[in-house]
Amino acid sequence: MAGNQVHNEGKNVVMKQWFHDVLMSKMRSVPGKIWGTVWKVGRDDPRRVIHSLKVGMSLTLVSLLYLMEPLFDGIGQNAIWAVMTVVVVLEFTAGATLCKGLNRGFGTLCAGSLAFFIEYIAEESGKASQAVFIGVAVFLIGSGATYMRFFPSIKKNYDYGVVIFLLTFNLITVSSYRVHNVLRIAHQRFYTIVIGCGICLLMSLLIFPNWSGGELHNSTVYKIEGLARSIEACVTEYFQDHDIHDEDNSGEDPIYKGYKAVLDSKSVDETLALHASWEPRHSRHCYKYPWQQYVKLGGVLRHFGYTAIALHGCVQSQIQTPRSVRTLFKKPCSRVAEEVSKVLVELADSIRNRRHCSPGLLSDNLQDALQDLNNAIKSQPRLFLGSNRNQATNMLAVAAAAANQKDPSGGRVSLSSVKTDSSALLEWRSKRVADHSECKVLRPTLSMLAITSLEFFEALPFAAFASLLVEMVVRLDLIIEQVEELGRIANFKEFDDNIEIVVARRSSQREIEPHLGSQNID
């Protein structure tokens, strides 16, 4: 017993020492992990560091309303509204700050004016009916303003302003029944909100401004280039020497990263376009810039991205055409993908430099690549129509041969007497199902064996892959039309052959990061 007790105590000491060592090692690694996260976030987009410093500076300035005695005596406790305004209004982009700041200021001004008018009428009606009048006014204004929030144009542009209007109107109107100096309180609150909004606008517009329009412009360029990289990577992986992996590593897959930004961009594009419409005209021509055209272009890019998803699905399909067969079509397919990617890169460069596309954007090279792919498929008729030595082994060839014979009973073709190389397997499966009628579905292994035993089904995966490549070429015309429309509405500069040569040389070596610096509209 004593020996067991000593053994247990020794084990407890060892376990405590182990927990202590593990805990200390984890605690020592925490500062390094925190610093790594801080460094990575700032390195991915340095504008985040600048925005954080701008918010800190704004809060410091607005805190002077409390810290400086003369300012505090003039404004008093209502200075807290200035702090709240800075925290709520100051956004990452100038357009978002302008949208929220102007909505907040205009909503406060309208609510204050209406509240004073309601208060004046309520006082004239007498003390007895003042409470009833205020209650009715609050009900009508609250219901009407809330209903207006459902209007599409108001919900899209002024929803935040209506919310501030409701809040301010109710605070002033209801307080006026008990507080006699409500006019002074309303003035102080309005002044503090104006001060907070003014600080936010100064920080957003004058100190390293980050324009929503520039963000939308650059994100569109990045999405087009991401699609180009995704298509090239997809074709490269499909014709690689080693077997295609079945595992889905979407989080680390470069193909997935290429089209992910396009698929997730709908709400972001619409928000950026809305905020960009609030920004001042910082261009040489004072006209309304077509930000909504970027949203339309984003919709076309998403439809193009769906084809990239399907192409990626062919790469990850569990039923694959044999590598020896895929190799026969590697060169024409790679050429088609290369030409499609080249057109996408040129479109991205034209948007980045705000110039029109090249007149020869769809050159003869793309048409020649499609013709080569067509000729390569025609040169292998046995892959789709069966072997000349044993044509009966291919289901498609059997059906085509039997279609010429009419069935006297009903005019239909009967294939029951045809034997293929998989007939034994099919007969075994029918017997298996007959013996076990409760088994409704074949096991995955057996169904895979039944499918891959047919020669024709080995060609179907590549047929789908080639079909999607041709579909991409067709949908490429839609992207070109939207880019040309954007250039026409936005008054892009004309195409220059000399500039095009320089761009073509640099485009293959340039890597675009997901977060790009904003640019002013020339």
Side-chain angles (χ1 to χ4, degrees), residues 196-215:
C197 291
I199 293 175
C200 293
L201 295 180
L202 288 176
M203 286 292 176
S204 296
L205 300 177
L206 301 181
I207 301 178
F208 298 104
N210 179 30
W211 305 106
S212 298
E215 186 77 11

Side-chain angles (χ1 to χ4, degrees), residues 276-339:
S277 63
W278 287 83
E279 293 177 349
R281 306 289 175 251
H282 42 95
S283 62
R284 291 179 299 181
H285 308 284
C286 188
Y287 62 91
K288 187 176 181 180
Y289 201 78
W291 298 118
Q292 290 300 323
Q293 186 64 30
Y294 283 90
V295 179
K296 295 181 181 179
L297 176 58
V300 176
L301 291 176
R302 278 190 297 277
H303 284 283
F304 190 88
Y306 299 150
T307 310
I309 296 175
L311 200 69
H312 194 195
C314 292
V315 175
Q316 296 181 332
S317 176
Q318 296 187 8
I319 304 174
Q320 293 290 343
T321 301
R323 191 186 315 126
S324 58
V325 178
R326 294 201 304 266
T327 305
L328 298 174
F329 307 97
K330 178 178 180 180
K331 185 175 180 180
C333 289
S334 300
R335 186 181 177 190
V336 171
E338 182 181 354
E339 293 299 328

Side-chain angles (χ1 to χ4, degrees), residues 382-383 386-387 393-394 421 451-459:
R382 291 181 299 175
L383 181 63
S387 173
T393 60
N394 189 278
D421 59 343
I451 292 175
T452 55
S453 63
L454 300 176
E455 290 183 3
F456 177 64
F457 285 102
E458 292 182 348

Side-chain angles (χ1 to χ4, degrees), residues 102-157:
L102 295 180
N103 268 279
R104 189 177 181 90
F106 188 70
T108 302
L109 180 62
C110 292
S113 302
L114 184 59
F116 292 148
F117 177 74
I118 296 296
E119 181 187 5
Y120 174 77
I121 298 178
E123 289 180 351
E124 294 295 330
S125 62
K127 189 66 174 179
S129 58
Q130 183 177 4
V132 177
F133 185 82
I134 291 177
V136 173
V138 168
F139 172 77
L140 294 177
I141 298 299
S143 301
T146 303
Y147 186 75
M148 290 177 61
R149 294 181 63 189
F150 294 105
F151 294 176
S153 58
I154 293 179
K155 185 176 182 62
K156 181 179 179 181
N157 296 283

